[in-house]
Amino acid sequence: MGTRDDILDAAAEVLRTQGFARATTKSIAQVSGYSEAALYKHFADKAAILLAVMHERMPTLPGSLKELIGSPGSATVHANLIRLAGIAIDFYIEGFPILVSLFSSQDLLTAHRRRLQELDAGPHKAQEGLVRYLQEEQKLGRVRRTADVGAAAALLFGACFQRGFEVNFSGVTPSVEERNAYAGALGRTIYESLRPNPLKRGVGRPGPRSRPAR
């Protein structure tokens, strides 16, 4: 790793532990072990450092969807949703402090939004990716044709975002077992709204038992 990477790691740590207001070039320099002058050799100002953190040190949730989206029909929809929920929970727990910092400065938020537009990226991409995956599973008959996959995707990511907020607000990091239990419950609940009906009404089910004639 070089000086620039060390600076970004330090800036990410300051944002996560101290917040945007305390993420000064002085505090970043202290954590990185370099002088403020060294920071300015690589970045124009504090905003440039923080923008680089957003783009280079945030977890890559959309990237984690590529394998899932690219292979519909693999594993089970149920297992895939649980796996995705676990990835999203980790993403929001780790990234929430940085996301909050982003909204602390309108200028920083505007610059970040502009950069995402240039890259054709953004928080909506993960949800859109899940919708496409579920639509492919509908074609394969593994998700009910009438299921609202857009709503299901919104519910999954919304719940994971809420979990990230709760964990960061409480300051208590959940155990692996607790994280897995939450992801499992969420994945199962979402899947129940998507699973195909095993039997159509009136097909394959025994009819009402007829009464013997008297």
Side-chain angles (χ1 to χ4, degrees):
M1 291 180 60
T3 303
R4 185 179 185 280
D5 286 328
D6 292 338
I7 292 170
L8 289 182
D9 288 341
E13 180 180 344
V14 172
L15 282 173
R16 290 191 183 100
T17 59
Q18 301 182 40
F20 179 81
R22 297 289 299 277
T24 62
T25 53
K26 181 178 180 180
S27 64
I28 294 170
Q30 289 175 338
V31 173
S32 70
Y34 295 101
S35 66
E36 286 187 77
L39 269 62
Y40 288 114
K41 288 181 180 179
H42 295 273
F43 302 96
D45 50 27
K46 169 185 168 179
I49 298 174
L50 300 185
L51 277 175
V53 170
M54 302 293 175
H55 295 288
E56 300 179 36
R57 290 299 184 271
M58 280 287 289
T60 56
L61 178 56
S64 301
L65 277 166
K66 289 182 180 179
E67 180 184 347
L68 181 65
I69 297 168
S71 55
S74 64
T76 64
V77 176
H78 182 192
N80 286 335
L81 289 173
I82 291 176
R83 174 170 166 261
L84 178 57
I87 293 171
I89 290 167
D90 290 344
F91 171 84
Y92 287 119
I93 288 176
E94 182 180 349
F96 202 89
I98 296 179
L99 292 172
V100 170
S101 298
L102 177 64
F103 285 87
S104 300
S105 166
Q106 187 60 47
D107 289 342
L108 187 62
L109 177 60
T110 299
H112 181 60
R113 186 186 297 122
R114 186 182 304 117
R115 180 57 177 157
L116 289 179
Q117 290 172 345
E118 293 171 355
L119 297 172
D120 190 26
H124 60 290
K125 289 295 183 178
Q127 186 168 321
E128 289 176 356
L130 178 55
V131 168
R132 289 195 299 273
Y133 162 73
L134 292 174
Q135 288 173 337
E136 290 301 315
E137 293 289 14
Q138 281 181 316
K139 295 176 183 177
L140 296 174
R142 304 208 311 166
V143 167
R144 195 173 69 255
R145 293 274 182 173
T146 58
D148 189 332
V149 296
L155 287 169
L156 187 143
F157 284 116
C160 293
F161 182 88
Q162 173 69 15
R163 185 59 174 159
F165 166 75
E166 292 171 350
V167 169
N168 280 277
F169 183 82
S170 68
V172 179
T173 302
S175 66
V176 174
E177 292 76 16
E178 291 170 331
R179 175 264 198 194
N180 290 342
Y182 188 94
L186 179 57
R188 285 191 298 273
T189 300
I190 298 295
Y191 178 67
E192 283 302 313
S193 71
L194 300 171
R195 68 193 302 263
N197 295 323
L199 293 172
K200 293 182 179 179
R201 187 185 298 263
V203 178
R205 292 180 180 175
R209 185 176 299 175
S210 59
R211 295 182 180 180
R214 293 182 179 178

